[in-house]
Amino acid sequence: MSYQCHLCHQPLHCSQLQWRCHSNYQFDCAKEGYVNLLPVHHKRSKLPGDSVEMMQARRAFLDAGYLPAITATGYGTSGTVAESRCNGIAGWEGYYTAELAARLEQRHNVAVYGLDIAKVAIRYAAKRYPAVSFCVASNHRLPFAERSMDAVLRIYAPCKAGELARVVKPGGILMTVSPGPRHLYQLKAQVYQQVQLHDGQEKRLEGFGCESREALAYTMALSGGQAANLLQMTPFAWRAPRQRYSSSSLPARVLWL
């Protein structure tokens, strides 16, 4: 399987570290191994996606092993249905996508792709996880042909339901991870005067039925440094006073749902 050109929607073929379509649009592979498939006119800013600071904080937090429960739960399901091609959307610097690839490769011959709109995140992911094919692309314009994916894993990423349905094969699976009502409640309480709960209603995506649904919740005990990383890797950081990043007032126990 190859990527699909965003500009003419024809297949892209790789030759000499360059992806090219029949319309002669071309996209160069970076030295880290990824390809940037995001056209300039599709960008809403010079550097779309998460910042370098958010990425570094997320990496430090994930490397500390605070999210194993999500990993075990998610892959226990996806590993039984995905056969050949899987895609991870908003891959958190490749952390979940690489775990998915490692687990599925134990039982299946798979090709795993990961994408994110943040170039810095994809550069890091491609360098660290060479077994996964990574690209810079938009969740709203997936660079894959129709019915080309056996499974898609979407983690906290806004996507168009129609675009997801377009790339998933008949009988394929879409796994989504969304925040529970009280997700990071203690952290948000340090930033906002009034904390708004997440909408806990199940969201149906057009083109998909619900095969199973599981709610996961657990409390994390954090050091001051990891609490600061957790704050930095979330959108709440934009609203938090700078002194909160090193303040002892950050919660030591946070509920993750």
Side-chain angles (χ1 to χ4, degrees), residues 5-250:
C5 179
H6 269 315
L7 301 172
C8 68
H9 307 294
Q10 296 184 66
L12 290 168
H13 302 282
C14 188
S15 177
Q16 298 181 343
L17 300 179
Q18 188 178 81
W19 290 88
R20 188 190 298 266
C21 66
H22 292 302
S23 298
N24 212 32
Y25 294 115
Q26 60 187 41
F27 307 87
D28 294 332
C29 290
K31 64 179 181 180
E32 293 86 355
Y34 71 92
V35 57
N36 190 340
L37 299 176
L38 185 66
V40 174
H41 62 276
H42 287 175
K43 294 182 179 180
R44 295 184 178 181
S45 64
K46 185 177 180 180
L47 295 173
D50 293 344
S51 66
V52 174
E53 293 77 14
M54 292 180 73
M55 187 205 76
Q56 291 174 340
R58 185 178 297 126
R59 173 53 53 188
F61 188 82
L62 292 172
D63 281 348
Y66 282 102
L67 302 183
I70 291 179
T71 301
T73 301
Y75 303 145
T77 303
S78 63
T80 63
V81 296
E83 293 296 335
S84 58
R85 296 188 181 97
C86 303
N87 180 36
I89 298 177
W92 283 39
E93 296 76 60
Y95 177 82
Y96 290 110
T97 310
E99 284 288 332
L100 174 65
R103 296 199 180 214
L104 292 182
E105 285 173 354
Q106 296 175 8
R107 289 174 287 179
H108 305 289
N109 181 22
V110 298
V112 179
Y113 298 80
L115 68 86
D116 199 289
I117 199 171
K119 182 178 178 180
V120 64
I122 290 298
R123 181 191 296 125
Y124 186 97
K127 186 175 182 179
R128 184 165 183 173
Y129 306 115
V132 178
S133 299
F134 286 102
C135 67
V136 181
S138 170
N139 301 333
H140 298 296
R141 297 181 178 89
L142 299 175
F144 305 107
E146 295 183 6
R147 301 182 175 185
S148 60
M149 289 288 163
D150 293 279
V152 172
L153 172 63
R154 185 191 73 167
I155 300 178
Y156 296 174
C159 296
K160 294 180 179 179
E163 187 68 352
L164 293 170
R166 181 184 69 81
V167 302
V168 176
K169 291 180 179 179
I173 186 171
L174 167 66
M175 179 181 295
T176 66
V177 180
S178 303
R182 296 180 65 84
H183 178 64
L184 301 182
Y185 184 92
Q186 296 88 340
L187 190 65
K188 291 163 66 176
Q190 299 292 318
V191 179
Y192 301 97
Q193 290 184 344
Q194 292 185 333
V195 178
Q196 299 292 325
L197 299 183
H198 288 281
D199 183 3
Q201 295 296 319
E202 182 178 349
K203 293 180 175 61
R204 294 283 183 173
L205 295 175
E206 186 177 353
F208 296 93
C210 182
E211 191 168 290
S212 65
R213 185 172 186 262
E214 184 172 353
L216 173 68
Y218 63 99
T219 300
M220 296 180 295
L222 305 177
S223 65
Q226 289 298 353
N229 282 332
L230 179 57
L231 174 62
Q232 176 64 62
M233 69 188 241
T234 70
F236 314 143
W238 296 104
R239 297 289 300 273
R242 175 54 57 179
Q243 59 267 27
R244 286 293 177 90
Y245 290 107
S246 57
S247 172
S248 60
S249 64
L250 283 172

